[in-house]
Amino acid sequence: QVQLVESGGGLVQPGGSLRLSCAASGSNLSIRQMGWHRQAPGKQRELVAFIRGSEDTNYVDSVKGRFTISIDYAKNTVYLQMNSLKPEDTAVYYCNCYAFSDSGPLRQYWGQGTQVTVSS
C-alpha cells in the first residue's frame, strides 16, 4: 500500500511564503512523477505543478515565477516552495504521484490534502 503524507500548510499573509512537503511510502516504491494539485471552495481541482526526474517540471501559468517544485528521491519526498502568495492561492493542496510498487503496475496515488490560507 502506497501512502502520501503532506505537511506544511497553514495561514500566511499576502506576499508571504510557505513550503509544502509530501512524503511517499510503500514497499519497493519506484516513483515516476510527483505533483501538487489544489482545490478552492466551489472550484474544480486544478494541477499546480509536477516533476519528472529531477528537472522536468511543469507549472500552471498562475504560479509560474512564484512556486518551485523539487524532489528528493532518496526520501521519496516532493516539495512545493510557494513565494509571493496571493489570496487566490487559498485552497486545499493535494499531493499525488505515479509509482510502481508491490501493489502492482503504475498507479496514481493521492494524499489527504493540506489547507493553505492566504489572508491578512
Side-chain angles (χ1 to χ4, degrees):
Q1 184 72 13
V2 176
Q3 291 188 322
L4 302 180
V5 179
E6 299 122 330
S7 60
L11 173 64
V12 64
Q13 292 186 341
S17 298
L18 282 175
R19 189 192 194 207
L20 304 183
S21 300
C22 173
S25 62
S27 181
N28 292 320
L29 189 62
S30 178
I31 293 172
R32 291 296 178 263
Q33 177 179 311
M34 291 193 80
W36 293 92
H37 290 65
R38 67 186 179 187
Q39 188 166 19
K43 295 187 177 181
Q44 290 189 333
R45 188 175 298 190
E46 67 169 350
L47 173 67
V48 177
F50 68 83
I51 183 168
R52 298 179 184 133
S54 297
E55 298 181 357
D56 182 8
T57 59
N58 190 284
Y59 299 90
V60 68
D61 285 346
S62 60
V63 308
K64 286 181 180 177
R66 300 189 297 121
F67 291 10
T68 302
I69 190 169
S70 60
I71 193 166
D72 183 342
Y73 284 103
K75 297 179 179 180
N76 286 334
T77 299
V78 66
Y79 305 95
L80 186 68
Q81 178 66 44
M82 306 185 293
N83 299 328
S84 302
L85 282 161
K86 304 175 180 180
E88 51 264 43
D89 294 317
T90 296
V92 177
Y93 284 69
Y94 297 91
C95 170
N96 82 315
C97 81
Y98 289 88
F100 293 98
S101 72
D102 281 353
S103 297
L106 187 69
R107 289 179 57 187
Q108 182 176 200
Y109 300 91
W110 290 91
Q112 80 285 357
T114 185
Q115 177 70 45
V116 172
T117 302
V118 185
S119 175
S120 54

